[in-house]
Amino acid sequence: MAQPAVNPFYAGRRRRNAIAKGLALAATLFGLGWLVLVLGVLLYEGLGGLSLSVFTEMTPPPGAAGGLLNAIVGSLILTVLAVLIGTPIGVLAGTYLAEYGRHDKLSSVVRFINDILLSAPSIVVGLFIYEVMVAPMGHFSGWAGAVALAVIVIPVVVRTTEDMLTLLPDTLREAAASIGLPRAHMIVRIAYRAARAGIVTGILLAIARISGETAPLLFTALNNQFWSTNMNAPMPSLPVVIFQFALSPYEEWQKLAWTGALLITVTVLALSIIARSLTSARKSS
Amino acid sequence: MTLNGTGARAGEAASRAAVLKRLRVSDTIFHGLTRAAAILVLLLLSGVIGSLVIGAAPALGTFGFSFFVTETWNPVTEKFGALAPIYGTLVTSIIAMVIAVPVGLMIAFFLTELCPGWLRRPIGIAIELLAGIPSIIYGIWGLFVFAPFLQKYVQPLLIDTFENVPLLSSLFEGPPYGIGMLTAGLILAIMVLPFVTSISRDVFDAVPPVLKEAAYGVGCTTWEVFRHVILPFTRVGVIGGFMLGLGRALGETMAVTFVIGNAHKISASILAPGTTISASIANEFTEAVGDLYTSSLVALGLILFFITFVVLSLARYMLLRLKQREG
């Protein structure tokens, strides 16, 4: 820019550069704009319907006021059970990949399959559980919903557990082996402790992932208009209630759907922020 | 882990042997447990495939190959064909990728090359939050906010603008419903954008600084470094990222179900309502009466799983290749 007479060739290159930079900035603002738009509308619509009755009353019949209590409790039960079923399996499988079979054939196949499961469409998981649980049992049930969510939890936990264990220095393992500690003890007493923050992060991310999942619950846990803690009966959950209420013509239902959507989003965002701060705290220490 | 108690007394040696045996047993058990869990992951996938194949068998047996090429979807006469959902899935995903890929690349370009250091992390996190928002939120937002907006402002404009342009006029034809394939595609674009962005950013970050510095050294502009050094170097990884995004777009259910309109019809106009594989399943599965109807929906699920499996495998393969090259 300092030169008085600019070669047109250089000017063209510089112009193209400026345009590209401008486009990149515009693209970023565009991307962030959506986040602001989605969250803004969600806050506006959701906060408007937020009141104590949301947490104390059951989902109402059409055209009446009510709350989301049974859906919230149903979601909590399903999530807790899914985590209880999915986490041990996920942690153990991740342990195998990182500790016992780091380089064997089984591990490379499992790793590949796990990555596929990680991004497989969740509605397919719903179909799978429908075929193996709902159809043989003859009815929709809370158990089927919890297992469907657990199938989504497993790959997330496998992946993070393996990653976090692989990050540990091998000297740690060698030191444990040199004092005669068997492998299982080394893993449980030392490796798990050293990688704890990372593994917990994985579990939190898995919870974040399933707390908004709707598709796998549609034909496993189904829905329930009433209070239910019976795992053998259809069970209500927040996402499915939102789905049903949002598509209904009743204004009260639509309002509750927005409030439910806000609750889910706040939960999910809080979980992912906590998970993120856990790992970054570990990195900086 | 051999017994090493040569100098010890016999009793001590025996108890030591017992302890060692116990340790060895628990080690074996733990090894077995982890291995079983790893195998369970394999069984999950084979279970998914197996159950879908068994569930889809009646429909595929009845309709044969015509299931894939028939548009009819009639629960009353029990005639089912998957062409309309397959078409809708592909069209909405293509719309999503056409928008998300260039935008995502440019955001990654901004984040890795242009953005001041203190802004990189917050913007990166914000983009990833966009990925964390559950799809049902996009669905309800799309239905109540985005679709009415499109119906009121964007779609009439598109219809008027392209009214007299051949080809494009049929692409943007018909009454502005608000909901439809275009709306679904746009929402998918927003959902896929963070995936494309974060993977592109990661692979751009992995470019050795020496390469960039050399290019800057011979006088390249930032854009030229990006276009002629970074992009060619990371091509495989970037394409892998696209595929991963595409896999997500293909299988996305809730966001699409809200805004697609659920019409088993192939229309030339992308403003018209349509359906996708996942939206058909979500909308109709619990209401499906009769084995053939249910089985046809499961067959749709099988097709979806097959398509995403291929796309995701390709994505993983390409990302793996990039990683291996990095060493």
Side-chain angles (χ1 to χ4, degrees), chain B:
Chain B
M1 269 197 276
T2 50
L3 200 63
N4 204 1
T6 31
R9 278 172 296 152
E12 201 178 302
S15 80
R16 196 177 283 186
V19 170
L20 276 180
K21 187 161 178 252
R22 211 179 59 227
L23 287 179
R24 209 170 297 147
V25 168
S26 66
D27 199 24
T28 317
I29 292 177
F30 191 71
H31 188 164
L33 271 180
T34 58
R35 203 182 157 85
I39 292 172
L40 188 74
V41 174
L42 289 189
L43 290 181
L44 272 184
L45 188 85
S46 17
V48 169
I49 297 174
S51 66
L52 288 181
V53 169
I54 293 171
L60 294 180
T62 310
F63 302 116
F65 181 71
S66 72
F67 185 73
F68 300 95
V69 290
T70 316
E71 192 189 333
T72 333
W73 186 268
N74 192 336
V76 181
T77 58
E78 297 213 308
K79 288 266 182 297
F80 300 103
L83 195 60
I86 293 177
Y87 172 80
T89 303
L90 295 181
V91 169
T92 51
S93 299
I94 289 171
I95 296 175
M97 296 313 287
V98 163
I99 295 167
V101 165
V103 176
L105 273 182
M106 287 314 266
I107 297 180
F109 171 49
F110 180 81
L111 282 177
T112 50
E113 302 300 318
L114 303 176
C115 186
W118 57 273
L119 251 180
R120 283 187 63 164
R121 226 178 113 72
I123 295 185
I125 290 179
I127 297 282
E128 272 158 41
L129 286 185
L130 206 54
I133 297 176
S135 64
I136 188 158
I137 310 296
Y138 287 101
I140 184 172
W141 179 81
L143 178 68
F144 288 118
V145 183
F146 197 48
F149 169 78
L150 288 178
Q151 181 177 22
K152 215 166 181 179
Y153 302 104
V154 180
Q155 293 185 346
L157 191 78
L158 285 173
I159 295 170
D160 291 344
T161 314
F162 296 112
E163 204 175 5
N164 298 316
V165 188
L167 218 70
L168 284 179
S169 65
S170 54
L171 199 58
F172 300 103
E173 193 187 16
Y177 289 112
I179 54 174
M181 310 250 262
L182 179 67
T183 316
L186 291 177
I187 294 216
L188 281 181
I190 302 172
M191 298 185 67
V192 170
L193 185 60
F195 283 79
V196 176
T197 306
S198 73
I199 292 182
S200 312
R201 185 196 54 190
D202 291 349
V203 294
F204 291 164
D205 268 338
V207 174
V210 192
L211 278 181
K212 289 192 257 177
E213 284 158 13
Y216 281 123
V218 295
C220 287
T221 61
T222 320
W223 170 248
E224 284 163 350
V225 171
F226 177 69
R227 174 71 190 77
H228 298 293
V229 177
I230 300 179
L231 260 191
F233 186 80
T234 54
R235 195 179 50 222
V236 188
V238 168
I239 296 176
F242 296 166
M243 301 285 232
L244 224 51
L246 180 63
R248 168 144 177 162
L250 288 168
E252 181 47 55
T253 310
M254 299 320 292
V256 173
T257 308
F258 273 95
V259 295
I260 190 89
N262 202 35
H264 280 272
K265 223 174 69 187
I266 296 179
S267 326
S269 167
I270 56 171
L271 300 183
T275 191
T276 67
I277 294 178
S278 49
S280 303
I281 303 173
N283 266 321
E284 298 171 38
F285 198 82
T286 43
E287 286 150 23
V289 275
D291 288 341
L292 205 55
Y293 194 178
T294 310
S295 171
S296 299
L297 286 167
V298 176
L300 280 184
L302 183 64
I303 297 173
L304 175 66
F305 189 72
F306 180 75
I307 300 176
T308 46
F309 188 91
V310 171
V311 170
L312 292 174
S313 306
L314 276 175
R316 293 295 170 190
Y317 172 71
M318 292 182 132
L319 289 172
L320 202 71
R321 242 180 64 189
L322 187 78
K323 214 181 237 169
Q324 276 166 355
R325 198 178 60 185
E326 275 167 24

Side-chain angles (χ1 to χ4, degrees), chain A residues 185-232:
Chain A
H185 287 244
M186 184 278 286
I187 293 169
V188 176
R189 300 269 171 79
I190 296 173
Y192 280 171
R193 274 188 205 181
R196 189 165 52 197
I199 296 175
V200 171
T201 302
I203 299 171
L204 288 179
L205 287 178
I207 299 176
R209 169 96 194 263
I210 59 170
S211 42
E213 277 293 355
T214 320
L217 293 176
L218 284 175
F219 26 83
T220 51
L222 201 66
N223 195 359
N224 196 331
Q225 198 71 46
F226 307 103
W227 172 266
S228 169
T229 49
N230 180 1
M231 288 302 287
N232 282 314

